[in-house]
Amino acid sequence: MNIQELQEALEYAREQMFHAELRLDQLTDPELIDACIYEIRAWEIRFGYYNRKLKEAVASGQAVDGKWHIYHGS
């Protein structure tokens, strides 16, 4: 994945995690609560993966442009 794809995937995971947390607040059925908790955990893992890959890309000297404003290397 390139930098832009990693940024988009990271933002998507963040948004999905946020929406799953909102759903969790509205649930009352124990089975659905459990399912929502698993969904949140899955998005947390995805977020962590994309965040780590993005940091690795920056550390390797690739430039990150756009809203992230991170530049590394010459």
Side-chain angles (χ1 to χ4, degrees):
M1 295 180 97
N2 65 36
I3 295 289
Q4 183 175 352
E5 290 170 331
L6 288 170
Q7 290 172 334
E8 291 170 0
L10 183 67
E11 185 59 31
Y12 183 75
R14 182 189 336 257
E15 290 172 5
Q16 294 304 309
M17 193 168 32
F18 173 76
H19 290 295
E21 289 169 346
L22 289 178
R23 282 193 302 279
L24 179 62
D25 290 340
Q26 299 173 3
L27 294 173
T28 56
D29 184 89
E31 289 179 47
L32 293 178
I33 290 171
D34 287 345
C36 198
I37 290 170
Y38 286 118
E39 180 184 358
I40 291 168
R41 183 64 185 130
W43 285 115
E44 288 172 342
I45 292 168
R46 286 182 187 101
F47 180 86
Y49 171 80
Y50 292 126
N51 193 40
R52 186 176 66 256
K53 290 297 183 181
L54 188 58
K55 287 180 181 181
E56 289 171 4
V58 171
S60 73
Q62 297 180 34
V64 179
D65 57 7
K67 67 180 180 179
W68 293 83
H69 305 293
I70 301 171
Y71 294 93
H72 185 75
S74 53

Short mmCIF file of all heavy atoms in Angstrom, two decimals, residues 9-71:
data_model
loop_
_atom_site.label_atom_id
_atom_site.label_comp_id
_atom_site.label_asym_id
_atom_site.label_seq_id
_atom_site.Cartn_x
_atom_site.Cartn_y
_atom_site.Cartn_z
N ALA A 9 -7.01 4.14 4.76
CA ALA A 9 -7.40 2.95 5.52
C ALA A 9 -7.41 3.25 7.02
O ALA A 9 -8.31 2.80 7.75
CB ALA A 9 -6.45 1.79 5.22
N LEU A 10 -6.43 4.03 7.48
CA LEU A 10 -6.37 4.40 8.89
C LEU A 10 -7.58 5.25 9.27
O LEU A 10 -8.23 5.00 10.29
CB LEU A 10 -5.07 5.17 9.17
CG LEU A 10 -4.80 5.58 10.61
CD1 LEU A 10 -4.55 4.35 11.47
CD2 LEU A 10 -3.61 6.52 10.67
N GLU A 11 -7.90 6.22 8.45
CA GLU A 11 -9.06 7.08 8.72
C GLU A 11 -10.36 6.29 8.68
O GLU A 11 -11.25 6.49 9.51
CB GLU A 11 -9.10 8.25 7.73
CG GLU A 11 -10.19 9.25 8.02
CD GLU A 11 -10.10 9.89 9.39
OE1 GLU A 11 -8.99 10.06 9.92
OE2 GLU A 11 -11.17 10.23 9.95
N TYR A 12 -10.48 5.37 7.72
CA TYR A 12 -11.68 4.54 7.62
C TYR A 12 -11.84 3.68 8.87
O TYR A 12 -12.94 3.57 9.42
CB TYR A 12 -11.62 3.67 6.36
CG TYR A 12 -12.85 2.84 6.16
CD1 TYR A 12 -14.04 3.41 5.71
CD2 TYR A 12 -12.84 1.48 6.43
CE1 TYR A 12 -15.19 2.65 5.53
CE2 TYR A 12 -13.97 0.70 6.25
CZ TYR A 12 -15.14 1.29 5.80
OH TYR A 12 -16.28 0.53 5.63
N ALA A 13 -10.75 3.08 9.32
CA ALA A 13 -10.80 2.25 10.54
C ALA A 13 -11.21 3.09 11.74
O ALA A 13 -12.00 2.66 12.57
CB ALA A 13 -9.45 1.59 10.78
N ARG A 14 -10.67 4.31 11.82
CA ARG A 14 -11.03 5.21 12.92
C ARG A 14 -12.53 5.54 12.89
O ARG A 14 -13.21 5.49 13.92
CB ARG A 14 -10.22 6.50 12.83
CG ARG A 14 -10.48 7.47 13.96
CD ARG A 14 -9.85 8.84 13.78
NE ARG A 14 -8.69 8.91 12.92
CZ ARG A 14 -7.43 8.99 13.32
NH1 ARG A 14 -7.15 9.00 14.60
NH2 ARG A 14 -6.45 9.08 12.45
N GLU A 15 -13.05 5.83 11.71
CA GLU A 15 -14.47 6.15 11.58
C GLU A 15 -15.35 4.95 11.93
O GLU A 15 -16.36 5.11 12.63
CB GLU A 15 -14.77 6.61 10.15
CG GLU A 15 -14.19 7.96 9.81
CD GLU A 15 -14.34 8.30 8.34
OE1 GLU A 15 -14.98 7.51 7.59
OE2 GLU A 15 -13.79 9.34 7.93
N GLN A 16 -14.98 3.78 11.45
CA GLN A 16 -15.77 2.58 11.72
C GLN A 16 -15.76 2.23 13.21
O GLN A 16 -16.77 1.81 13.77
CB GLN A 16 -15.28 1.41 10.89
CG GLN A 16 -15.50 1.60 9.40
CD GLN A 16 -16.94 1.88 9.06
OE1 GLN A 16 -17.85 1.16 9.47
NE2 GLN A 16 -17.18 2.94 8.31
N MET A 17 -14.62 2.42 13.84
CA MET A 17 -14.51 2.17 15.28
C MET A 17 -15.43 3.14 16.04
O MET A 17 -16.15 2.74 16.96
CB MET A 17 -13.06 2.34 15.72
CG MET A 17 -12.76 1.82 17.09
SD MET A 17 -10.99 1.70 17.48
CE MET A 17 -10.23 3.02 16.59
N PHE A 18 -15.42 4.41 15.64
CA PHE A 18 -16.27 5.42 16.27
C PHE A 18 -17.75 5.04 16.13
O PHE A 18 -18.50 5.08 17.11
CB PHE A 18 -16.00 6.78 15.64
CG PHE A 18 -16.93 7.86 16.11
CD1 PHE A 18 -16.77 8.43 17.36
CD2 PHE A 18 -17.95 8.30 15.30
CE1 PHE A 18 -17.63 9.42 17.81
CE2 PHE A 18 -18.82 9.29 15.73
CZ PHE A 18 -18.65 9.85 16.98
N HIS A 19 -18.16 4.65 14.93
CA HIS A 19 -19.57 4.30 14.70
C HIS A 19 -19.95 3.03 15.47
O HIS A 19 -21.07 2.94 15.99
CB HIS A 19 -19.85 4.14 13.21
CG HIS A 19 -19.81 5.44 12.48
ND1 HIS A 19 -20.70 6.47 12.69
CD2 HIS A 19 -18.95 5.89 11.54
CE1 HIS A 19 -20.41 7.48 11.93
NE2 HIS A 19 -19.33 7.17 11.21
N ALA A 20 -19.06 2.08 15.56
CA ALA A 20 -19.34 0.86 16.33
C ALA A 20 -19.50 1.20 17.81
O ALA A 20 -20.36 0.64 18.49
CB ALA A 20 -18.24 -0.17 16.12
N GLU A 21 -18.68 2.14 18.31
CA GLU A 21 -18.81 2.55 19.71
C GLU A 21 -20.13 3.25 19.95
O GLU A 21 -20.76 3.07 21.01
CB GLU A 21 -17.63 3.45 20.10
CG GLU A 21 -16.33 2.69 20.20
CD GLU A 21 -15.11 3.59 20.32
OE1 GLU A 21 -15.22 4.82 20.07
OE2 GLU A 21 -14.03 3.06 20.63
N LEU A 22 -20.59 4.05 18.98
CA LEU A 22 -21.91 4.69 19.11
C LEU A 22 -23.02 3.64 19.15
O LEU A 22 -23.97 3.76 19.95
CB LEU A 22 -22.15 5.65 17.95
CG LEU A 22 -21.33 6.93 17.92
CD1 LEU A 22 -21.67 7.75 16.68
CD2 LEU A 22 -21.58 7.76 19.18
N ARG A 23 -22.91 2.62 18.29
CA ARG A 23 -23.92 1.54 18.29
C ARG A 23 -23.93 0.81 19.63
O ARG A 23 -24.98 0.46 20.15
CB ARG A 23 -23.66 0.56 17.15
CG ARG A 23 -24.11 1.04 15.80
CD ARG A 23 -24.12 -0.08 14.77
NE ARG A 23 -22.84 -0.73 14.58
CZ ARG A 23 -21.84 -0.26 13.83
NH1 ARG A 23 -21.97 0.89 13.21
NH2 ARG A 23 -20.72 -0.93 13.71
N LEU A 24 -22.75 0.58 20.18
CA LEU A 24 -22.65 -0.14 21.45
C LEU A 24 -23.42 0.60 22.54
O LEU A 24 -24.08 -0.03 23.37
CB LEU A 24 -21.18 -0.30 21.85
CG LEU A 24 -20.91 -0.99 23.18
CD1 LEU A 24 -21.44 -2.42 23.16
CD2 LEU A 24 -19.43 -0.98 23.50
N ASP A 25 -23.33 1.92 22.53
CA ASP A 25 -24.03 2.71 23.54
C ASP A 25 -25.55 2.57 23.47
O ASP A 25 -26.24 2.82 24.44
CB ASP A 25 -23.67 4.19 23.40
CG ASP A 25 -22.24 4.48 23.81
OD1 ASP A 25 -21.64 3.66 24.55
OD2 ASP A 25 -21.72 5.53 23.39
N GLN A 26 -26.06 2.15 22.31
CA GLN A 26 -27.51 2.06 22.12
C GLN A 26 -28.06 0.65 22.27
O GLN A 26 -29.27 0.46 22.29
CB GLN A 26 -27.88 2.61 20.74
CG GLN A 26 -27.50 4.06 20.57
CD GLN A 26 -27.71 4.55 19.16
OE1 GLN A 26 -28.20 3.83 18.30
NE2 GLN A 26 -27.35 5.80 18.91
N LEU A 27 -27.19 -0.34 22.37
CA LEU A 27 -27.64 -1.73 22.42
C LEU A 27 -28.06 -2.14 23.83
O LEU A 27 -27.51 -1.65 24.81
CB LEU A 27 -26.52 -2.65 21.93
CG LEU A 27 -26.15 -2.53 20.46
CD1 LEU A 27 -24.94 -3.37 20.15
CD2 LEU A 27 -27.33 -2.94 19.58
N THR A 28 -29.01 -3.07 23.87
CA THR A 28 -29.44 -3.62 25.16
C THR A 28 -29.38 -5.15 25.19
O THR A 28 -29.30 -5.73 26.25
CB THR A 28 -30.89 -3.17 25.49
OG1 THR A 28 -31.75 -3.57 24.42
CG2 THR A 28 -30.95 -1.66 25.68
N ASP A 29 -29.42 -5.79 24.03
CA ASP A 29 -29.38 -7.25 23.96
C ASP A 29 -27.95 -7.74 24.20
O ASP A 29 -27.03 -7.32 23.51
CB ASP A 29 -29.88 -7.71 22.58
CG ASP A 29 -29.94 -9.22 22.51
OD1 ASP A 29 -30.99 -9.78 22.87
OD2 ASP A 29 -28.92 -9.82 22.11
N PRO A 30 -27.76 -8.64 25.15
CA PRO A 30 -26.41 -9.11 25.48
C PRO A 30 -25.65 -9.71 24.29
O PRO A 30 -24.45 -9.51 24.16
CB PRO A 30 -26.64 -10.17 26.57
CG PRO A 30 -27.94 -9.80 27.18
CD PRO A 30 -28.77 -9.21 26.07
N GLU A 31 -26.34 -10.45 23.43
CA GLU A 31 -25.66 -11.05 22.29
C GLU A 31 -25.18 -9.98 21.31
O GLU A 31 -24.08 -10.07 20.77
CB GLU A 31 -26.58 -12.03 21.58
CG GLU A 31 -26.81 -13.30 22.38
CD GLU A 31 -27.74 -14.25 21.66
OE1 GLU A 31 -27.53 -14.48 20.46
OE2 GLU A 31 -28.67 -14.75 22.31
N LEU A 32 -26.00 -8.96 21.08
CA LEU A 32 -25.60 -7.88 20.18
C LEU A 32 -24.50 -7.03 20.80
O LEU A 32 -23.62 -6.53 20.09
CB LEU A 32 -26.81 -7.02 19.81
CG LEU A 32 -27.87 -7.71 18.97
CD1 LEU A 32 -29.04 -6.76 18.71
CD2 LEU A 32 -27.29 -8.22 17.67
N ILE A 33 -24.53 -6.88 22.10
CA ILE A 33 -23.46 -6.15 22.79
C ILE A 33 -22.14 -6.88 22.59
O ILE A 33 -21.13 -6.27 22.25
CB ILE A 33 -23.79 -5.97 24.29
CG1 ILE A 33 -24.94 -4.98 24.46
CG2 ILE A 33 -22.55 -5.52 25.07
CD1 ILE A 33 -25.48 -4.89 25.87
N ASP A 34 -22.16 -8.20 22.77
CA ASP A 34 -20.94 -8.99 22.56
C ASP A 34 -20.43 -8.85 21.13
O ASP A 34 -19.24 -8.66 20.89
CB ASP A 34 -21.19 -10.47 22.86
CG ASP A 34 -21.31 -10.76 24.35
OD1 ASP A 34 -20.93 -9.88 25.15
OD2 ASP A 34 -21.78 -11.86 24.70
N ALA A 35 -21.34 -8.94 20.17
CA ALA A 35 -20.95 -8.82 18.76
C ALA A 35 -20.34 -7.45 18.47
O ALA A 35 -19.34 -7.34 17.75
CB ALA A 35 -22.16 -9.06 17.86
N CYS A 36 -20.91 -6.43 19.05
CA CYS A 36 -20.42 -5.07 18.84
C CYS A 36 -19.03 -4.90 19.47
O CYS A 36 -18.15 -4.24 18.90
CB CYS A 36 -21.41 -4.06 19.39
SG CYS A 36 -21.17 -2.40 18.74
N ILE A 37 -18.84 -5.49 20.62
CA ILE A 37 -17.52 -5.43 21.28
C ILE A 37 -16.47 -6.12 20.41
O ILE A 37 -15.37 -5.60 20.24
CB ILE A 37 -17.59 -6.05 22.69
CG1 ILE A 37 -18.40 -5.14 23.62
CG2 ILE A 37 -16.18 -6.29 23.25
CD1 ILE A 37 -18.74 -5.75 24.96
N TYR A 38 -16.81 -7.26 19.83
CA TYR A 38 -15.88 -7.94 18.92
C TYR A 38 -15.58 -7.07 17.70
O TYR A 38 -14.45 -7.02 17.22
CB TYR A 38 -16.42 -9.30 18.50
CG TYR A 38 -16.35 -10.34 19.60
CD1 TYR A 38 -17.50 -10.93 20.10
CD2 TYR A 38 -15.13 -10.72 20.13
CE1 TYR A 38 -17.44 -11.89 21.10
CE2 TYR A 38 -15.05 -11.68 21.14
CZ TYR A 38 -16.21 -12.26 21.61
OH TYR A 38 -16.14 -13.20 22.61
N GLU A 39 -16.62 -6.41 17.19
CA GLU A 39 -16.43 -5.53 16.03
C GLU A 39 -15.49 -4.37 16.37
O GLU A 39 -14.58 -4.06 15.60
CB GLU A 39 -17.77 -4.99 15.56
CG GLU A 39 -17.65 -4.07 14.36
CD GLU A 39 -18.97 -3.44 13.94
OE1 GLU A 39 -20.02 -3.73 14.56
OE2 GLU A 39 -18.94 -2.65 13.00
N ILE A 40 -15.69 -3.76 17.53
CA ILE A 40 -14.81 -2.67 17.96
C ILE A 40 -13.38 -3.16 18.07
O ILE A 40 -12.45 -2.50 17.61
CB ILE A 40 -15.30 -2.06 19.29
CG1 ILE A 40 -16.62 -1.31 19.08
CG2 ILE A 40 -14.24 -1.14 19.89
CD1 ILE A 40 -17.33 -0.92 20.35
N ARG A 41 -13.20 -4.32 18.67
CA ARG A 41 -11.85 -4.87 18.82
C ARG A 41 -11.19 -5.13 17.46
O ARG A 41 -10.01 -4.86 17.27
CB ARG A 41 -11.90 -6.16 19.66
CG ARG A 41 -10.55 -6.73 19.93
CD ARG A 41 -9.69 -5.80 20.78
NE ARG A 41 -8.36 -6.38 20.90
CZ ARG A 41 -7.22 -5.74 20.68
NH1 ARG A 41 -7.24 -4.46 20.36
NH2 ARG A 41 -6.08 -6.34 20.78
N ALA A 42 -11.98 -5.64 16.51
CA ALA A 42 -11.44 -5.88 15.17
C ALA A 42 -11.00 -4.57 14.52
O ALA A 42 -9.94 -4.51 13.90
CB ALA A 42 -12.49 -6.58 14.30
N TRP A 43 -11.79 -3.51 14.67
CA TRP A 43 -11.40 -2.21 14.10
C TRP A 43 -10.18 -1.65 14.82
O TRP A 43 -9.33 -1.01 14.21
CB TRP A 43 -12.56 -1.23 14.13
CG TRP A 43 -13.58 -1.52 13.07
CD1 TRP A 43 -14.87 -1.91 13.25
CD2 TRP A 43 -13.37 -1.49 11.66
NE1 TRP A 43 -15.47 -2.12 12.05
CE2 TRP A 43 -14.58 -1.87 11.05
CE3 TRP A 43 -12.28 -1.20 10.85
CZ2 TRP A 43 -14.72 -1.95 9.67
CZ3 TRP A 43 -12.42 -1.27 9.46
CH2 TRP A 43 -13.63 -1.64 8.89
N GLU A 44 -10.07 -1.89 16.13
CA GLU A 44 -8.88 -1.45 16.86
C GLU A 44 -7.62 -2.12 16.32
O GLU A 44 -6.57 -1.48 16.17
CB GLU A 44 -9.02 -1.75 18.35
CG GLU A 44 -10.00 -0.88 19.07
CD GLU A 44 -10.25 -1.32 20.52
OE1 GLU A 44 -9.93 -2.48 20.86
OE2 GLU A 44 -10.77 -0.49 21.28
N ILE A 45 -7.73 -3.40 16.02
CA ILE A 45 -6.59 -4.14 15.48
C ILE A 45 -6.23 -3.62 14.10
O ILE A 45 -5.05 -3.40 13.80
CB ILE A 45 -6.89 -5.65 15.46
CG1 ILE A 45 -6.97 -6.17 16.89
CG2 ILE A 45 -5.83 -6.41 14.65
CD1 ILE A 45 -7.53 -7.57 17.01
N ARG A 46 -7.25 -3.39 13.26
CA ARG A 46 -6.98 -2.83 11.93
C ARG A 46 -6.34 -1.45 12.05
O ARG A 46 -5.38 -1.14 11.35
CB ARG A 46 -8.27 -2.71 11.13
CG ARG A 46 -8.81 -4.01 10.63
CD ARG A 46 -10.08 -3.76 9.81
NE ARG A 46 -10.71 -4.99 9.44
CZ ARG A 46 -11.77 -5.51 10.06
NH1 ARG A 46 -12.32 -4.88 11.08
NH2 ARG A 46 -12.27 -6.65 9.65
N PHE A 47 -6.87 -0.62 12.94
CA PHE A 47 -6.31 0.72 13.14
C PHE A 47 -4.84 0.63 13.55
O PHE A 47 -4.00 1.35 13.02
CB PHE A 47 -7.13 1.47 14.21
CG PHE A 47 -6.62 2.85 14.47
CD1 PHE A 47 -7.03 3.91 13.70
CD2 PHE A 47 -5.73 3.08 15.50
CE1 PHE A 47 -6.56 5.20 13.94
CE2 PHE A 47 -5.24 4.36 15.75
CZ PHE A 47 -5.67 5.42 14.97
N GLY A 48 -4.54 -0.24 14.48
CA GLY A 48 -3.17 -0.42 14.93
C GLY A 48 -2.26 -0.88 13.80
O GLY A 48 -1.12 -0.41 13.68
N TYR A 49 -2.75 -1.78 12.98
CA TYR A 49 -1.96 -2.28 11.85
C TYR A 49 -1.64 -1.15 10.88
O TYR A 49 -0.48 -0.96 10.50
CB TYR A 49 -2.73 -3.39 11.13
CG TYR A 49 -2.09 -3.81 9.83
CD1 TYR A 49 -1.01 -4.68 9.82
CD2 TYR A 49 -2.57 -3.32 8.61
CE1 TYR A 49 -0.40 -5.05 8.63
CE2 TYR A 49 -1.98 -3.69 7.42
CZ TYR A 49 -0.90 -4.56 7.44
OH TYR A 49 -0.31 -4.92 6.26
N TYR A 50 -2.66 -0.40 10.45
CA TYR A 50 -2.44 0.68 9.49
C TYR A 50 -1.59 1.80 10.09
O TYR A 50 -0.75 2.38 9.41
CB TYR A 50 -3.76 1.23 8.97
CG TYR A 50 -4.50 0.24 8.11
CD1 TYR A 50 -5.81 -0.11 8.39
CD2 TYR A 50 -3.88 -0.36 7.01
CE1 TYR A 50 -6.48 -1.04 7.61
CE2 TYR A 50 -4.55 -1.29 6.23
CZ TYR A 50 -5.85 -1.62 6.53
OH TYR A 50 -6.51 -2.53 5.76
N ASN A 51 -1.77 2.07 11.36
CA ASN A 51 -0.96 3.09 12.02
C ASN A 51 0.51 2.66 12.04
O ASN A 51 1.40 3.47 11.76
CB ASN A 51 -1.48 3.32 13.44
CG ASN A 51 -0.91 4.54 14.08
OD1 ASN A 51 -0.75 5.58 13.43
ND2 ASN A 51 -0.59 4.46 15.35
N ARG A 52 0.76 1.40 12.37
CA ARG A 52 2.13 0.89 12.39
C ARG A 52 2.76 0.93 10.99
O ARG A 52 3.91 1.36 10.82
CB ARG A 52 2.14 -0.53 12.94
CG ARG A 52 3.54 -1.10 13.13
CD ARG A 52 3.54 -2.49 13.77
NE ARG A 52 2.93 -3.50 12.91
CZ ARG A 52 1.71 -4.02 13.06
NH1 ARG A 52 0.95 -3.66 14.08
NH2 ARG A 52 1.25 -4.93 12.24
N LYS A 53 2.01 0.52 9.97
CA LYS A 53 2.52 0.53 8.61
C LYS A 53 2.80 1.96 8.14
O LYS A 53 3.78 2.21 7.44
CB LYS A 53 1.54 -0.14 7.64
CG LYS A 53 1.45 -1.63 7.83
CD LYS A 53 2.80 -2.26 7.52
CE LYS A 53 2.77 -3.75 7.62
NZ LYS A 53 4.07 -4.36 7.35
N LEU A 54 1.96 2.90 8.53
CA LEU A 54 2.18 4.29 8.17
C LEU A 54 3.43 4.83 8.83
O LEU A 54 4.26 5.49 8.19
CB LEU A 54 0.95 5.13 8.55
CG LEU A 54 0.93 6.58 8.07
CD1 LEU A 54 1.04 6.66 6.56
CD2 LEU A 54 -0.33 7.26 8.55
N LYS A 55 3.64 4.51 10.10
CA LYS A 55 4.86 4.93 10.79
C LYS A 55 6.09 4.32 10.15
O LYS A 55 7.12 4.98 10.02
CB LYS A 55 4.79 4.55 12.27
CG LYS A 55 3.84 5.40 13.07
CD LYS A 55 3.81 4.97 14.51
CE LYS A 55 2.83 5.81 15.30
NZ LYS A 55 2.78 5.43 16.71
N GLU A 56 6.01 3.05 9.75
CA GLU A 56 7.13 2.40 9.08
C GLU A 56 7.45 3.09 7.76
O GLU A 56 8.62 3.27 7.41
CB GLU A 56 6.82 0.92 8.83
CG GLU A 56 6.81 0.08 10.08
CD GLU A 56 6.30 -1.34 9.85
OE1 GLU A 56 6.01 -1.70 8.68
OE2 GLU A 56 6.17 -2.09 10.84
N ALA A 57 6.41 3.47 7.02
CA ALA A 57 6.62 4.14 5.74
C ALA A 57 7.30 5.49 5.95
O ALA A 57 8.20 5.86 5.21
CB ALA A 57 5.29 4.31 5.01
N VAL A 58 6.88 6.22 6.96
CA VAL A 58 7.49 7.52 7.27
C VAL A 58 8.93 7.31 7.71
O VAL A 58 9.84 8.02 7.27
CB VAL A 58 6.67 8.28 8.33
CG1 VAL A 58 7.43 9.50 8.82
CG2 VAL A 58 5.31 8.66 7.78
N ALA A 59 9.17 6.33 8.55
CA ALA A 59 10.52 6.07 9.05
C ALA A 59 11.47 5.64 7.93
O ALA A 59 12.67 5.89 8.00
CB ALA A 59 10.49 5.01 10.14
N SER A 60 10.92 5.02 6.89
CA SER A 60 11.76 4.57 5.79
C SER A 60 12.14 5.70 4.84
O SER A 60 12.89 5.49 3.90
CB SER A 60 11.08 3.45 5.02
OG SER A 60 10.00 3.97 4.25
N GLY A 61 11.60 6.89 5.09
CA GLY A 61 11.98 8.05 4.29
C GLY A 61 10.98 8.45 3.24
O GLY A 61 11.23 9.36 2.46
N GLN A 62 9.84 7.82 3.20
CA GLN A 62 8.81 8.22 2.25
C GLN A 62 8.14 9.49 2.75
O GLN A 62 7.89 9.66 3.93
CB GLN A 62 7.76 7.13 2.10
CG GLN A 62 8.30 5.84 1.53
CD GLN A 62 7.21 4.79 1.41
OE1 GLN A 62 6.07 5.13 1.14
NE2 GLN A 62 7.57 3.54 1.62
N ALA A 63 7.83 10.41 1.84
CA ALA A 63 7.17 11.66 2.21
C ALA A 63 5.67 11.42 2.35
O ALA A 63 5.08 10.65 1.60
CB ALA A 63 7.42 12.74 1.17
N VAL A 64 5.07 12.08 3.30
CA VAL A 64 3.62 12.04 3.49
C VAL A 64 3.11 13.43 3.21
O VAL A 64 3.55 14.39 3.83
CB VAL A 64 3.25 11.61 4.93
CG1 VAL A 64 1.75 11.59 5.11
CG2 VAL A 64 3.86 10.27 5.25
N ASP A 65 2.20 13.55 2.28
CA ASP A 65 1.71 14.88 1.95
C ASP A 65 0.26 15.03 2.37
O ASP A 65 -0.31 14.16 3.01
CB ASP A 65 1.85 15.15 0.46
CG ASP A 65 1.14 14.10 -0.39
OD1 ASP A 65 0.43 13.25 0.19
OD2 ASP A 65 1.30 14.13 -1.59
N GLY A 66 -0.34 16.13 2.01
CA GLY A 66 -1.74 16.36 2.32
C GLY A 66 -1.96 16.79 3.75
O GLY A 66 -1.14 17.47 4.34
N LYS A 67 -3.07 16.37 4.32
CA LYS A 67 -3.47 16.85 5.65
C LYS A 67 -2.55 16.38 6.76
O LYS A 67 -2.59 16.89 7.85
CB LYS A 67 -4.90 16.44 5.95
CG LYS A 67 -5.10 14.96 6.11
CD LYS A 67 -6.55 14.65 6.42
CE LYS A 67 -6.74 13.16 6.57
NZ LYS A 67 -8.10 12.82 6.88
N TRP A 68 -1.72 15.36 6.50
CA TRP A 68 -0.90 14.81 7.57
C TRP A 68 0.34 15.67 7.82
O TRP A 68 0.87 15.70 8.90
CB TRP A 68 -0.49 13.37 7.21
CG TRP A 68 -1.70 12.50 7.22
CD1 TRP A 68 -2.59 12.34 6.21
CD2 TRP A 68 -2.19 11.72 8.29
NE1 TRP A 68 -3.59 11.49 6.57
CE2 TRP A 68 -3.38 11.09 7.85
CE3 TRP A 68 -1.75 11.47 9.58
CZ2 TRP A 68 -4.10 10.25 8.67
CZ3 TRP A 68 -2.48 10.61 10.38
CH2 TRP A 68 -3.64 10.03 9.92
N HIS A 69 0.84 16.35 6.81
CA HIS A 69 1.98 17.27 6.95
C HIS A 69 3.18 16.65 7.63
O HIS A 69 3.81 17.26 8.48
CB HIS A 69 1.56 18.55 7.68
CG HIS A 69 0.42 19.23 7.04
ND1 HIS A 69 0.49 19.81 5.80
CD2 HIS A 69 -0.84 19.42 7.47
CE1 HIS A 69 -0.69 20.33 5.50
NE2 HIS A 69 -1.50 20.11 6.49
N ILE A 70 3.50 15.44 7.26
CA ILE A 70 4.66 14.77 7.82
C ILE A 70 5.65 14.58 6.68
O ILE A 70 5.32 14.02 5.64
CB ILE A 70 4.32 13.39 8.42
CG1 ILE A 70 3.29 13.55 9.52
CG2 ILE A 70 5.56 12.68 8.91
CD1 ILE A 70 2.73 12.23 10.02
N TYR A 71 6.85 15.04 6.88
CA TYR A 71 7.89 14.86 5.87
C TYR A 71 9.12 14.29 6.55
O TYR A 71 9.50 14.71 7.62
CB TYR A 71 8.22 16.20 5.19
CG TYR A 71 7.06 16.72 4.39
CD1 TYR A 71 6.16 17.60 4.96
CD2 TYR A 71 6.85 16.29 3.09
CE1 TYR A 71 5.07 18.06 4.25
CE2 TYR A 71 5.77 16.75 2.37
CZ TYR A 71 4.88 17.65 2.95
OH TYR A 71 3.81 18.09 2.23
#
